[in-house]
Amino acid sequence: MTSADTVTVPAAEPMLPVPYRVSGRTAETHDSVTLRLEPAGEPLPPSQPGQFIMLAVPAIGEVAISVSGDPASRDGALVHTIRAVGKVSGALHDAPVGTVLGARGPFGTTWDLPSAAGRDIVIVAGGVGLAPLRPVILGVLAERGRYRAVWLMSGARTPAEFLFRSELDAWSGRSDIGVELTVDRPAAGWDGPVGFVTEPLARLSLDPERTTAFLCGPEPMMRFSAHVLLRKGIPAGDIRLSLERNMQCGIGLCGHCQLGPVLVCRDGPVVDYGSARRLFATVEL
Amino acid sequence: MTGTARALAAFPVFAQLPEAELELISSTARTVRFAARQRLFSEGHPAQGCWLIEDGRVALDMTVPGRGQVVLQTLGPGDVLGWSWLVPPYRWHYGATSVLPTTATELDTTQLRALAEQDPRFGYTLVLTLFESVLQRLQATRARLLDLYGSPHDQR
C-alpha cells in the first residue's frame, strides 16, 4: 500500500525504544484517551497515516498503537488514541502528563491517501477504529480540493462512546463532507441514527469507477462493510482496511502477528480487501 | 415510464424491478409528509401501509415496561418502512415515529396485496424484492447483536 511518496525512513535501531514524554492528554470516552508525546531525546522519523508505533511503559510492556495525529503537523510530537483493554494499554491510558514512555517505529504500511486524489472518498469507522482514520479525515479536509465527494460513516456502541466528539460535530457541520454517526444503543438526548454502520453505507450512491474506501474497526464490521461496497460494484482493490494483530517486534522477525502468509506488522496493517478477504477466512491457532 | 414509476425506481429496493411491475406499484403510490415527532403507527395495531423514505428519519420503537418507548432502529432516505402488512396477522410488531420532518412515498398495501393475489407472478417479484430489503435489515441487526464495539472485557 505504501507509495513512493509516503515511504518512511526506518529508524536506525528499530528495536530500540527512544524516550517520549506525555505532554498532553484528552479523555475521549470512559476508557479511551488521546495522548500527545514529545521527544525527550532524538525524535523518531515522521510517521504516515495508517502506520503504528510500538509504545512501551517501563517495567510493564509494549503495545502497537496506530497514529491518530494530524499528518500536517511537523513538530515531532506523536499523537495516539489509546483504549484501556489490557495491562499495557491500561498503563498508557492512565499515564499522567510528564510520564516518560518508550517509543519505536514507525512501522507498517500506510493508507496511501495521495493515491486517492481525484476520487470519491468513503471512510467507514467503528468504535475506536475511528482513531487510525482521523489522519485520513484531517488529510482529506486539509486538501479538500484534491478529492471529489467525501463521506464519513462512523458507528459507536452508545453516543458517549464516539471518539473525537467535538471534531465529529465540527465535521458534521461542514457542507463538503457527508457525516453520518450511528449508534447501536441510543441514550437520552440522542436523536441521531440508530443502527449498524452498514445501513447508512448502503444508502450511499457511489460511482464504482471513482471511489476509494477506507475502513477501520472490528474485523466483522469491516467485512460486512466491504460486502456492501462490493455489492455496489467497488473493486476489492479500492477498499482499504487496517488489520489488528499481536504486533511485537514490528519488523517482521518474530512472527507473532502472522496471519496466513502475511506478517501484519510488515505487510500491513493497511491492506486492500483483495488481500484481506483471504486473511479473514484464516482460522487463528 | 410514468414519473411515479421512475421515482420508485430511484429507491434501491425497487431499482432492479421491470417497468411493468414498477407501473403496477406506482398505481398504489402517493407522497406523504410527516412533521417531526409524529407517530406513523403503533405496535399491535393493524398493519396498513408501506413507506419509501425520501427525506428525513423515522424511528422504530417499542414499549418496554420501566423504560418507556425504546428506539430499536432508525430508517433514513432510501429505506423501506413497514412490511407487517405482507404476512399474517397483519399487525405492526413495532411502532414508528418520525424523528425529523419526513417525506415518503406511501404505498396502499390493501391494493398492493390485492394485485399480488390476482397476479402471483407479480406477487412473487414483489415479495422477493422486499425480502432482499428484509435480509439486509436482518444482517445489520445480527451485526449489532455481536456488540462489536464493546470492550473485550465486556465480551468475555
Side-chain angles (χ1 to χ4, degrees):
Chain A
M1 186 61 61
T2 307
S3 70
D5 59 344
T6 58
V7 166
T8 297
V9 179
E13 293 284 352
M15 293 300 289
L16 189 65
V18 297
Y20 270 74
R21 193 181 307 276
V22 178
S23 62
R25 44 176 295 129
T26 306
E28 301 286 353
T29 68
H30 70 283
D31 64 359
S32 300
V33 68
T34 296
L35 295 184
R36 178 184 166 81
L37 308 172
E38 288 183 5
E42 197 63 27
L44 292 173
S47 47
Q48 300 292 332
Q51 292 189 301
F52 65 93
I53 300 284
M54 296 300 299
L55 291 181
V57 184
I60 295 183
E62 194 182 44
V63 68
I65 306 285
S66 294
V67 298
S68 64
D70 186 344
S73 173
R74 290 283 176 266
D75 60 4
L78 300 173
V79 176
H80 294 277
T81 302
I82 296 144
R83 184 182 203 187
V85 292
K87 198 179 273 187
V88 183
S89 59
L92 287 168
H93 174 275
D94 295 343
V97 169
T99 306
V100 175
L101 304 171
R104 56 188 185 89
F107 299 121
T109 53
T110 79
W111 288 113
D112 194 12
L113 186 57
S115 68
R119 295 170 65 80
D120 293 334
I121 305 291
V122 178
I123 300 163
V124 186
V128 289
L130 184 58
L133 286 168
R134 179 174 177 260
V136 173
I137 301 163
L138 293 173
V140 166
L141 294 178
E143 297 184 287
R144 185 61 191 85
R146 293 189 70 188
Y147 306 93
R148 288 168 28 118
V150 181
W151 293 276
L152 167 64
M153 312 275 127
S154 189
R157 195 189 207 191
T158 66
E161 291 176 66
F162 279 111
L163 304 176
F164 317 125
R165 192 54 200 269
S166 58
E167 283 183 313
L168 284 174
D169 290 342
W171 298 334
S172 297
R174 293 177 64 134
S175 59
D176 58 355
I177 175 171
V179 178
E180 179 107 353
L181 308 181
T182 184
V183 297
D184 285 352
R185 304 179 193 170
W190 174 260
D191 62 0
V194 178
F196 198 58
V197 75
T198 50
E199 294 171 275
L201 184 62
R203 288 178 203 129
L204 290 183
S205 180
L206 300 175
D207 178 351
E209 303 294 317
R210 306 185 68 168
T211 299
T212 302
F214 300 86
L215 319 179
C216 192
E219 259 179 38
M221 183 225 88
M222 294 194 287
R223 204 165 60 227
F224 299 149
S225 299
H227 290 170
V228 171
L229 293 164
L230 290 174
R231 272 205 304 272
K232 288 178 176 289
I234 312 289
D238 292 330
I239 302 170
R240 303 174 191 177
L241 48 88
S242 181
L243 298 170
E244 188 179 8
R245 281 297 181 276
N246 176 20
M247 267 86 96
Q248 295 211 356
C249 71
I251 52 175
L253 292 180
C254 75
H256 282 89
C257 64
Q258 184 170 356
L259 183 59
V262 165
L263 292 168
V264 176
C265 74
R266 183 195 64 193
D267 307 319
V270 179
V271 297
D272 68 46
Y273 190 65
S275 312
R277 183 161 35 194
R278 293 190 306 276
L279 303 178
F280 282 161
T282 302
V283 178
E284 289 182 57
L285 298 175
Chain B
M1 197 186 299
T2 61
T4 314
R6 228 181 347 262
L8 282 180
F11 288 95
V13 63
F14 291 144
Q16 303 303 320
L17 273 188
E19 186 176 340
E21 278 75 5
L22 284 170
E23 294 291 2
L24 267 182
I25 297 170
S26 71
S27 68
T28 74
R30 65 177 186 141
T31 300
V32 291
R33 289 182 180 79
F34 302 101
R37 313 212 176 279
Q38 184 177 339
R39 180 150 291 277
L40 278 68
F41 54 79
S42 298
E43 185 183 343
H45 287 203
Q48 285 181 331
C50 175
W51 295 267
L52 306 164
I53 301 172
E54 293 170 30
D55 192 35
R57 186 179 304 141
V58 175
L60 290 176
D61 57 26
M62 76 179 301
T63 306
V64 179
R67 292 170 63 189
Q69 295 294 127
V70 176
V71 174
L72 303 164
Q73 185 170 36
T74 57
L75 305 175
D79 286 336
V80 182
L81 166 66
W83 43 59
S84 295
W85 56 271
L86 197 58
V87 286
Y90 310 114
R91 288 188 176 272
W92 298 120
H93 287 83
Y94 305 104
T97 306
S98 54
V99 180
L100 304 172
T102 298
T103 305
T105 299
E106 182 181 81
L107 305 181
D108 180 330
T109 50
T110 305
Q111 271 191 63
L112 209 52
R113 221 166 49 213
L115 288 169
E117 280 163 11
Q118 282 165 25
D119 180 356
R121 183 188 291 269
F122 167 71
Y124 177 71
T125 304
L126 177 70
V127 168
L128 211 57
T129 299
L130 289 173
F131 182 73
E132 193 175 333
S133 182
V134 174
L135 195 60
Q136 283 176 19
R137 195 82 54 85
L138 176 65
Q139 286 166 344
T141 304
R142 283 176 172 165
R144 284 166 68 197
L145 286 175
L146 288 169
D147 192 20
L148 291 169
Y149 309 137
S151 164
H153 299 300
D154 302 335
Q155 292 164 7
R156 284 181 185 137

